């Protein structure tokens, strides 16, 4: 059984964002501040600083009225903020691959309960085969945190990441963005450590996603931790919750 809690990272110096229009030094837009401070997510607030929620959301460029497809939403930590940001004119599709959902029954049930609450009426929970990603409508943002590395693993049916990336490309609107956050593996390791250390080489992710037609649109250092040795499991007690994570933004070219 794989742990579904979204790992967090330690607060370092003020993070740098490369090729990103939103800087953490700038004031949060009112809709983002309201979503983060929503009393309905009070139990999440203690994790906000280490998960850098404001920087992550700004980097994802999510805004009111957007349609978001969130892959493998775990506890719903990001789901709740996405819901608050997109508001009543937007929608959040929380997608569970069937193969992952079979190992995360309680999380899936909890998210369905969440989606049934009037406060989260703009959230829908989807389940579908891992190899056949789709969405009910075109979306503005596809978001995955710490789960891209799971798709090629045996329990998910050894999904080809490039096939996944092409499916993501198809469901995005022109100009839409694909946000990938994951645990850093040693440089040059490719996908070697996805099912052992639960890490992936950022370089292979960039190569795969770009091969699907995306344009690399920036990265953020908000979740980086240079103290992570990269050669131990992300669940190791010495690093759990403090892994070095890359955050990439890819854009579907506008037509």
């Amino acid at each position: 059984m794989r742990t579904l809690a979204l790992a967090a990272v330690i607060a370092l110096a003020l993070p740098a964002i490369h090729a990103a229009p939103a800087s953490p030094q700038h004031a949060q837009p009112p809709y983002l501040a309201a979503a983060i401070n929503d009393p309905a997510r009070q139990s999440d607030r203690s994790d906000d600083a280490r998960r850098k929620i404001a920087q992550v959301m700004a980097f994802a460029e999510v805004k009111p009225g957007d349609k978001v497809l969130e892959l493998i939403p775990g506890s719903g930590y990001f789901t709740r903020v996405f819901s608050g940001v997109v508001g009543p004119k937007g929608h959040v599709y929380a997608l569970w691959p069937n193969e992952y959902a079979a190992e995360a029954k309680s999380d899936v049930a909890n998210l369905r309960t969440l989606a049934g609450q009037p406060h989260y009426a703009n959230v829908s929970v989807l389940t579908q085969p891992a190899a056949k990603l789709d969405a009910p409508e075109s979306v503005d943002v596809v978001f995955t945190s710490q789960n891209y590395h799971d798709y090629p693993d045996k329990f998910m049916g050894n999904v080809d990441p490039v096939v996944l990336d092409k499916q993501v490309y198809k469901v995005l609107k022109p100009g839409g963005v694909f946000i990938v956050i994951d645990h850093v593996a040693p440089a040059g390791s490719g996908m070697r450590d996805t099912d052992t250390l639960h890490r992936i080489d950022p370089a292979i992710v960039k190569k795969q996603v770009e091969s699907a037609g995306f344009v690399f649109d920036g990265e953020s250092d908000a979740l980086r931790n240079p103290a992570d040795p990269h050669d131990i499991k992300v669940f190791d007690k010495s690093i759990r919750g403090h892994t070095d994570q890359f955050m990439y933004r890819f854009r579907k070219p506008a037509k």
Side-chain angles (χ1 to χ4, degrees):
M1 184 71 67
R2 284 167 171 73
T3 299
L4 294 174
L6 293 170
V9 295
I10 57 173
L12 303 171
L14 188 64
I17 292 182
H18 309 291
S23 167
Q25 294 179 345
H26 296 166
Q28 294 174 17
Y31 57 80
L32 178 54
I36 291 174
N37 294 311
D38 182 358
R41 61 178 301 276
Q42 187 62 39
S43 61
D44 290 336
R45 296 298 305 281
S46 61
D47 288 332
D48 287 352
R50 61 176 184 163
R51 292 191 178 186
K52 307 295 179 63
I53 187 62
Q55 291 95 320
V56 170
M57 288 292 153
F59 186 76
E61 299 184 346
V62 62
K63 60 188 184 301
D66 275 356
K67 308 297 171 56
V68 177
L69 179 64
E70 182 186 3
L71 311 184
I72 313 179
S75 66
Y77 173 83
F78 290 114
T79 312
R80 288 183 278 276
V81 181
F82 279 130
S83 173
V85 170
V86 303
K89 294 184 178 180
H91 205 86
V92 181
Y93 297 100
L95 173 59
W96 288 99
N98 294 337
E99 296 83 348
Y100 208 114
E103 298 193 6
K105 294 179 180 179
S106 61
D107 274 0
V108 176
N110 290 340
L111 209 60
R112 290 193 185 282
T113 298
L114 179 85
Q117 299 173 11
H119 190 71
Y120 294 105
N122 62 354
V123 174
S124 297
V125 179
L126 308 177
T127 54
Q128 58 191 227
K132 296 182 178 180
L133 181 146
D134 200 1
E137 61 181 322
S138 295
V139 300
D140 301 279
V141 179
V142 176
F143 179 91
T144 177
S145 176
Q146 301 176 355
N147 295 121
Y148 186 94
H149 75 267
D150 286 312
Y151 279 86
D153 290 343
K154 184 177 180 180
F155 88 107
M156 290 279 274
N158 302 115
V159 175
D160 182 345
V162 174
V163 172
L164 170 71
D165 298 334
K166 289 179 178 178
Q167 293 168 339
V168 169
Y169 188 94
K170 184 177 179 180
V171 302
L172 273 171
K173 298 177 183 178
V177 296
F178 182 24
I179 306 299
V180 180
I181 301 171
D182 219 326
H183 308 284
V184 177
S189 62
M191 297 195 299
R192 181 192 66 198
D193 301 324
T194 60
D195 200 26
T196 52
L197 305 182
H198 303 276
R199 298 173 179 270
I200 191 166
D201 183 356
I204 193 66
V205 175
K206 186 176 180 181
K207 180 179 179 180
Q208 290 168 345
V209 180
E210 288 182 325
S211 76
F214 284 96
V215 175
F216 183 68
D217 193 52
E219 64 182 292
S220 170
D221 293 337
L223 303 177
R224 300 306 302 258
N225 176 15
D228 182 353
H230 298 163
D231 60 358
I232 57 177
K233 285 187 177 182
V234 300
F235 309 123
D236 188 287
K237 63 181 181 180
S238 68
I239 199 66
R240 187 172 186 171
H242 308 284
T243 57
D244 186 22
Q245 298 169 63
F246 62 94
M247 178 157 51
Y248 285 169
R249 185 175 61 231
F250 302 91
R251 191 174 301 275
K252 179 176 180 177
K255 295 181 180 179

